[in-house]
Amino acid sequence: MQEKQVTKAIFPVAGLGTRFLPATKASPKEMLPIVDKPLIQYVVEEAVKAGITELVFVTSSSKRAIEDHFDTNYELEQRLQQQGKTELLEMVQNIVPKGVDCIYVRQPQALGLGHAVLCARQVIGEHPFAVLLADDLIDASVSCLEQMMTCYHETHASVIAVQEIAKADSEKYGVIDVAKNWSGQGPINAIVEKPKPTEAPSQYGVVGRYLLTPEIFHHLAKLPPGRGGEIQLTDAIARLLNEQKVMALAFDGTRYDCGSKLGYMQAMITLGLKHPELGADFKHYLQNLIF
Ligand code: G1P
């Protein structure tokens, strides 16, 4: 198979964020900040660093703040310029680096992750593409998507990111079936969306990073509703497996489930401690608080 560069990424951001109410009643969950950056900016930065130049947001009517965040704010920029705040000005002007385009597609109804990905089909065309879920913040020295790109270039197959999960948590994840002696990277045998712990084929759960070949769209277009009555990306991957190899990668790094309150707080503390300006003071504060 001829290798194609992966330059397009889908960010499904139409979801309602009910796990984070009331904070997400009027604001998109993807705009919740970790220290000083919204969650969506972390995944966009991860994508851009991995070579993505077309950012495709699958959005809905209540998510306009995301479009505004990645757009120019003339009034703010003019003020910062007048006040001589050049560092801040450069920061807001480079949220989307030069050469990177944002494209917005609407998901008219919340019919599931698979449906959201299908909404971007016309924009993606016959190219391999990435899917990144902003809820999953991954702290890693080499980003999760870059690790997946390496795997994609070695295998030319779709790659999904996985991590070891507690058996009791299998109903929160897509769960893969892999060979008994699986070493953390290799083809999967099967994948199932949110199985009961007794039916989970392994303890490897899918996290929100996918690199997919365009053939996935053929399956998404024909899928009946699956788990929870939604069109599931996991079900389309299961069908893709009948015709193509699909790789799983247990990436190096820590994933925070920022769609949950606890995961969000853990991410805030870890990244707060690593923050170049605030980290030392924050550490000092926490030490005094605990001991
Ligand atoms: C989605 C996917 C699931 C995956 C998870 C990762 O579920 O359907 O397979 O494991 O993302 O975060 P959601 O968390 O949107 O219910």
Side-chain angles (χ1 to χ4, degrees), residues 19 113 133 135-136 172-175 192-194 205-208 210 232-234 255 257:
R19 285 195 291 163
L113 177 59
L133 306 186
D135 278 359
D136 285 328
K172 295 183 191 161
Y173 298 93
V175 179
V192 46
E193 180 69 2
K194 302 183 177 139
V206 177
V207 304
Y210 307 80
Q232 297 291 354
L233 185 56
T234 300
R255 170 255 189 180
D257 175 10

Side-chain angles (χ1 to χ4, degrees), residues 87-215:
E87 259 182 52
L88 278 180
L89 179 63
E90 270 174 36
M91 186 224 278
V92 296
Q93 285 177 331
N94 287 314
I95 289 178
V96 179
K98 295 213 164 41
V100 175
D101 292 317
C102 295
I103 298 153
Y104 297 91
V105 176
R106 282 284 180 104
Q107 185 183 15
Q109 280 172 287
L111 297 179
L113 177 59
H115 179 256
V117 171
L118 186 59
C119 288
R121 183 180 193 171
Q122 297 304 323
V123 184
I124 302 293
E126 293 299 313
H127 300 276
F129 62 98
V131 178
L132 295 97
L133 306 186
D135 278 359
D136 285 328
L137 192 151
I138 299 175
D139 185 28
S141 46
V142 176
S143 81
C144 180
L145 193 60
E146 280 178 284
Q147 295 175 47
M148 294 167 75
M149 289 280 193
T150 305
C151 179
Y152 172 78
H153 290 303
E154 282 165 14
T155 60
H156 311 294
S158 295
V159 185
I160 52 183
V162 297
Q163 67 171 13
E164 226 171 325
I165 55 162
K167 217 170 173 74
D169 285 340
S170 65
E171 280 179 284
K172 295 183 191 161
Y173 298 93
V175 179
I176 56 166
D177 182 19
V178 279
K180 280 262 173 304
N181 57 352
W182 199 65
S183 63
Q185 177 170 335
I188 64 173
N189 301 325
I191 184 166
V192 46
E193 180 69 2
K194 302 183 177 139
K196 290 195 172 67
T198 48
E199 286 158 20
S202 78
Q203 277 181 244
Y204 285 101
V206 177
V207 304
R209 300 288 184 279
Y210 307 80
L211 264 183
L212 298 167
T213 56
E215 288 77 21

Side-chain angles (χ1 to χ4, degrees), residues 2-291:
Q2 206 200 344
E3 178 164 306
K4 284 188 179 173
Q5 292 299 318
V6 186
T7 58
K8 300 175 186 233
I10 299 176
F11 302 87
V13 293
L16 288 176
T18 45
R19 285 195 291 163
F20 229 117
L21 284 168
T24 50
K25 182 166 175 256
S27 315
K29 61 174 176 168
E30 295 82 4
M31 289 303 292
L32 291 172
I34 297 290
V35 191
D36 49 9
K37 266 193 292 193
L39 284 169
I40 188 69
Q41 196 178 329
Y42 284 92
V43 276
V44 161
E45 286 178 1
E46 180 178 335
V48 169
K49 209 161 159 261
I52 300 293
T53 52
E54 277 179 61
L55 314 173
V56 185
F57 298 87
V58 180
T59 180
S60 67
S61 56
S62 58
K63 302 295 182 108
R64 292 202 183 99
I66 296 175
E67 294 174 47
D68 290 344
H69 184 71
F70 293 108
D71 199 358
T72 308
N73 182 336
Y74 288 111
E75 201 185 333
L76 174 67
E77 289 183 21
Q78 218 175 9
R79 282 278 171 87
L80 292 174
Q81 190 139 37
Q82 280 163 359
Q83 294 167 348
K85 295 183 174 166
T86 41
E87 259 182 52
L88 278 180
L89 179 63
E90 270 174 36
M91 186 224 278
V92 296
Q93 285 177 331
N94 287 314
I95 289 178
V96 179
K98 295 213 164 41
V100 175
D101 292 317
C102 295
I103 298 153
Y104 297 91
V105 176
R106 282 284 180 104
Q107 185 183 15
Q109 280 172 287
L111 297 179
L113 177 59
H115 179 256
V117 171
L118 186 59
C119 288
R121 183 180 193 171
Q122 297 304 323
V123 184
I124 302 293
E126 293 299 313
H127 300 276
F129 62 98
V131 178
L132 295 97
L133 306 186
D135 278 359
D136 285 328
L137 192 151
I138 299 175
D139 185 28
S141 46
V142 176
S143 81
C144 180
L145 193 60
E146 280 178 284
Q147 295 175 47
M148 294 167 75
M149 289 280 193
T150 305
C151 179
Y152 172 78
H153 290 303
E154 282 165 14
T155 60
H156 311 294
S158 295
V159 185
I160 52 183
V162 297
Q163 67 171 13
E164 226 171 325
I165 55 162
K167 217 170 173 74
D169 285 340
S170 65
E171 280 179 284
K172 295 183 191 161
Y173 298 93
V175 179
I176 56 166
D177 182 19
V178 279
K180 280 262 173 304
N181 57 352
W182 199 65
S183 63
Q185 177 170 335
I188 64 173
N189 301 325
I191 184 166
V192 46
E193 180 69 2
K194 302 183 177 139
K196 290 195 172 67
T198 48
E199 286 158 20
S202 78
Q203 277 181 244
Y204 285 101
V206 177
V207 304
R209 300 288 184 279
Y210 307 80
L211 264 183
L212 298 167
T213 56
E215 288 77 21
I216 195 80
F217 289 122
H218 308 165
H219 300 289
L220 281 171
K222 290 188 215 137
L223 270 186
R227 180 92 194 194
E230 296 187 337
I231 306 290
Q232 297 291 354
L233 185 56
T234 300
D235 296 343
I237 296 170
R239 292 190 177 194
L240 185 67
L241 264 177
N242 295 326
E243 64 193 44
Q244 288 182 5
K245 187 163 74 173
V246 175
M247 303 291 289
L249 176 69
F251 57 93
D252 282 327
T254 308
R255 170 255 189 180
Y256 297 94
D257 175 10
C258 292
S260 83
K261 292 171 194 173
L262 183 63
Y264 178 77
M265 285 157 70
Q266 288 166 338
M268 184 78 90
I269 289 181
T270 310
L271 272 69
L273 286 169
K274 287 186 181 184
H275 193 277
E277 285 155 34
L278 306 170
D281 286 348
F282 188 46
K283 186 174 178 184
H284 187 65
Y285 170 75
L286 287 181
Q287 276 167 338
N288 286 337
L289 192 71
I290 295 166
F291 302 109

